[in-house]
Amino acid sequence: MADLLRRIYERAALCRAFEEEVARRVEAKQISIPVYLSIGQEYAPATVSTWLENRGVKDQAVFIQHRGHSQYLCFGGDPRALALELLGDARGCAGGMGGSASIHWPAARIFGHDGLMGTQIPIAVGYCYATRRPTVCFTGDAAAEEDYALAAYGWAATHRLPILFVVEDNGLSILTKKSVRRSWDIDAVARAFGLAAVECSDEPQELIDGPLRLPWPALLNVRTTRLRWHSGAGLDDPQAFDRHARVAASLPSEYVGATKCISEEITKTAWA
């Protein structure tokens, strides 16, 4: 278990290093397109991807949301191709035309967001229904509310599809709080449809000990924190809870320092 947790941390550390470099470039106006940073939300994809790999699942398809840099990196997307995409280069992972929100990496069966909120959910369900391939679908808490998303959850439950829905719940749709948008919880709705569903934190051990052991089809509403603006590199709240810092504090300082150096070197190479 200790080895598994370290592998999770290493993936999250790469995501954090890459995203901090993106933030610096946004602030320096070297990137001019809208950018949706996943800083603060690294541990859902880092834990899910590592857990599946540890279970021997290697052929899954992954459908990611607009705030998907960490999802892309954790499931095997090429960092260099992502860096080029953010610069609008034709060698980028979406030919320089997808920007930050619509990134993909077909070699690892990572399918990007099309720009319409929540559409990755029914598309993922359709793909899973057609192929019966293990499928992971990431969404935000606002996307989970869409009517076509709700219908897709029901279809997945009815046909007992091998799909895992991961809702990264930062409690905000741009700046509108979840409590203003709805009076219900997505995990309760999912259970009513017949999905195995639970609300949990993004703490890796918590995810491993229970939620990730649910039988598929399943939905995890994972409470997490968006540390940067909805779009851009500004800070939402300088005092906000940071899962990465908390996990790092639980590990040996020498290991944390070495991991940070490796992550920064990979990031430097990606942007070279």
Side-chain angles (χ1 to χ4, degrees):
M1 188 62 74
D3 175 67
L4 183 64
L5 292 172
R6 287 195 177 203
R7 282 190 282 144
I8 291 169
Y9 177 75
E10 287 162 11
R11 291 188 182 185
L14 173 59
C15 296
R16 180 60 64 96
F18 187 93
E19 292 288 69
E20 287 179 342
E21 179 62 24
V22 175
R24 284 191 287 270
R25 289 174 179 266
V26 170
E27 290 166 344
K29 303 190 183 304
Q30 296 173 7
I31 298 175
S32 57
I33 61 171
V35 170
Y36 305 93
L37 293 170
S38 58
I39 293 177
Q41 297 185 198
E42 301 93 345
Y43 277 87
T47 305
V48 172
S49 63
T50 308
W51 169 255
L52 289 175
E53 183 181 86
N54 195 60
R55 303 268 296 187
V57 180
K58 299 179 180 178
D59 62 344
Q60 76 279 334
V62 185
F63 290 78
I64 65 177
Q65 61 156 324
H66 71 284
R67 195 177 304 284
H69 297 177
S70 287
Q71 297 152 20
Y72 171 98
L73 292 169
C74 285
F75 280 90
D78 181 15
R80 173 65 173 164
L82 178 53
L84 290 168
E85 184 63 34
L86 296 176
L87 294 172
D89 192 297
R91 295 170 294 170
C93 61
M97 297 180 288
S100 172
S102 301
I103 55 176
H104 62 269
W105 194 246
R109 289 178 294 277
I110 300 171
F111 301 102
H113 191 253
D114 64 11
L116 183 60
M117 187 169 68
T119 52
Q120 74 271 29
I121 302 169
I123 293 171
V125 169
Y127 176 95
C128 187
Y129 179 72
T131 66
R132 297 289 163 164
R133 183 189 295 276
T135 303
V136 181
C137 180
F138 286 90
T139 74
D141 54 274
E145 302 168 4
E146 295 294 335
D147 52 354
Y148 39 78
L150 298 175
Y153 298 143
W155 183 266
T158 297
H159 294 277
R160 310 311 302 165
L161 299 182
I163 188 167
L164 174 66
F165 301 102
V166 181
V167 181
E168 292 188 347
D169 186 354
N170 60 36
L172 294 169
S173 177
I174 305 180
L175 291 174
T176 303
K177 293 182 178 180
K178 188 170 64 173
S179 59
V180 176
R181 305 191 318 263
R182 53 180 158 100
S183 59
W184 45 270
D185 296 318
I186 191 60
D187 56 302
V189 171
R191 286 194 296 273
F193 277 126
L195 295 170
V198 67
E199 179 174 295
C200 55
S201 80
D202 60 357
E203 199 280 315
Q205 192 70 62
E206 179 183 342
L207 284 166
I208 290 168
D209 286 345
L212 285 174
R213 300 177 188 272
L214 291 175
W216 294 13
L219 180 145
L220 311 183
N221 189 71
V222 184
R223 299 186 306 274
T224 187
T225 304
R226 187 186 80 192
L227 295 181
R228 298 280 183 157
W229 288 347
H230 166 72
S231 177
L235 292 174
D236 274 337
D237 177 4
Q239 303 303 316
F241 175 80
D242 184 353
R243 176 66 63 191
H244 190 55
R246 180 65 62 89
V247 174
S250 70
L251 297 167
S253 58
E254 297 84 357
Y255 165 75
V256 169
T259 301
K260 186 173 187 292
C261 288
I262 292 170
S263 298
E264 289 175 348
E265 187 59 34
I266 294 171
T267 297
K268 181 180 177 181
T269 299
W271 286 95

